[in-house]
Amino acid sequence: MRWLVTGAGGMLGHDVARELTRRGEDVVALDRAALDIATPETVDRAVADHRPDLVVNCAAYTAVDEAETDEARALEINGEGPRLLARACAAHDARLIHVSTDYVFSGEARTDPYPEDHRPAPRTAYGRTKLAGERAVLEELPGRSAVVRTAWLYGVYGANFVRTMIGLEARRDTVDVVDDQRGQPTWSADVAERIADLGVRLGPGAHGVFHATNSGEATWYELAREVFSLVGADPDRVRPTTSAAFPRPAPRPAYSVLAHRRWQEIGLPPPRDWRSALHEALPRIRKESSS
């Protein structure tokens, strides 16, 4: 099976291409310079030239705060780009996995993880544009597409919260981290494995919306303390604070815990706990950060 990965220069796109290559798949990995998914001609040409059996769209406008004043551009990439990919896949008999986000929900829940079929209610421009992309993919390519929502991603490549905490531990005596936002710290390599597993199953009975986050839940403060502990530092150097201490143009979801029922429906176990993933990921992240 031939796979085409868009957004391959980003953290998740890089990990998806790497995981597929590790499995011996035929992979075409295109970064933004090679494929701008918001340009119709280049999208159709890429799918026509490479003839993939399956496209994994990891390309996105991810500047959450900037999207509040640049929603039109964010919509081009996050909304219309996925629609163009879905149409090209339909024209050239390919399937599509599209990566989305927890920001499609309001983030106002408190105790129950969001199921895959929960009604979206985005509160930010970024969330609205990502929801537009979800709907476009499922409308244009019904039965042959999947939306994979993820959240709180960290990884070996690219900027992310875990790498930031490693750096701050080395430079500061104490670090203030918000303790009123709750979600699921998620290793991008684990999401890449889920996407690869889903790709070979995608079709009748295995399409629609899936949630790819590590299991369990934590606040950013709790995640930071775990990072400090794993690098041998005193976790009490991490001090709790509130979101009000870090005002942003786009409000962050207070609750971003996602449910994982759909994986069991297609014969896969729920994703592993976030602590287990972090314990495995951290040595690799530290190695890359020091190189």
Side-chain angles (χ1 to χ4, degrees), residues 82-83 85-87 89-91 93-96 133-147 202-209:
R83 185 180 297 279
L85 282 169
R87 287 177 175 174
C89 287
D93 196 27
R95 293 167 291 153
L96 174 62
E134 288 189 9
R135 289 174 170 168
V137 166
L138 298 176
E139 289 170 3
E140 298 285 349
L141 205 62
R144 293 166 53 203
S145 63
V147 168
L202 184 58
H207 58 86
V209 179

Side-chain angles (χ1 to χ4, degrees), residues 10-48:
M11 178 171 58
L12 180 58
H14 183 280
D15 280 352
V16 169
R18 183 175 182 178
E19 175 64 19
L20 293 172
T21 300
R22 186 188 69 80
R23 296 186 183 201
E25 299 286 356
D26 181 5
V27 184
V28 177
L30 302 179
D31 62 13
R32 183 179 177 183
L35 174 59
D36 177 359
I37 66 166
T39 306
E41 299 80 9
T42 59
V43 170
D44 190 75
R45 184 166 61 247
V47 177

Side-chain angles (χ1 to χ4, degrees), residues 14 23 30 108 192 208 233 238-239 290:
H14 183 280
R23 296 186 183 201
L30 302 179
E108 296 175 346
V238 181
R239 305 183 304 188
S290 62

Side-chain angles (χ1 to χ4, degrees), residues 112-278:
D112 295 325
Y114 285 104
E116 292 86 347
D117 60 357
H118 190 86
R119 182 177 178 273
R123 299 175 60 219
T124 64
Y126 171 67
R128 290 190 293 271
T129 63
K130 290 297 288 183
L131 179 59
E134 288 189 9
R135 289 174 170 168
V137 166
L138 298 176
E139 289 170 3
E140 298 285 349
L141 205 62
R144 293 166 53 203
S145 63
V147 168
V148 174
R149 296 180 183 136
T150 191
W152 286 38
L153 278 183
Y154 65 87
V156 174
Y157 304 97
N160 58 79
F161 180 85
V162 170
R163 292 190 70 170
T164 297
M165 288 301 108
I166 293 172
L168 290 178
E169 186 281 322
R171 299 194 303 271
R172 295 186 185 176
D173 292 333
T174 61
V175 179
D176 294 339
V177 181
V178 296
D179 195 31
D180 58 359
Q181 297 173 24
R182 181 164 292 274
Q184 294 159 309
T186 298
W187 188 17
S188 56
D190 279 4
V191 179
E193 288 187 11
R194 283 290 154 143
I195 288 173
D197 290 339
L198 176 59
V200 298
R201 293 168 168 80
L202 184 58
H207 58 86
V209 179
F210 294 80
H211 288 165
T213 51
N214 284 120
S215 296
E217 58 185 75
T219 65
W220 293 112
Y221 164 72
E222 291 167 343
L223 172 56
R225 285 179 59 89
E226 191 73 10
V227 171
F228 270 54
S229 293
L230 290 175
V231 300
D234 181 1
D236 288 339
R237 291 168 54 198
V238 181
R239 305 183 304 188
T241 188
T242 67
S243 299
F246 296 97
R248 303 280 188 86
R252 270 39 178 184
Y255 187 83
S256 290
V257 181
L258 306 182
H260 302 123
R261 176 182 54 85
R262 290 296 316 281
W263 297 115
Q264 295 171 317
E265 291 180 356
I266 65 171
L268 292 172
R272 62 173 162 170
D273 183 77
W274 70 268
R275 286 184 176 85
S276 173
L278 182 64

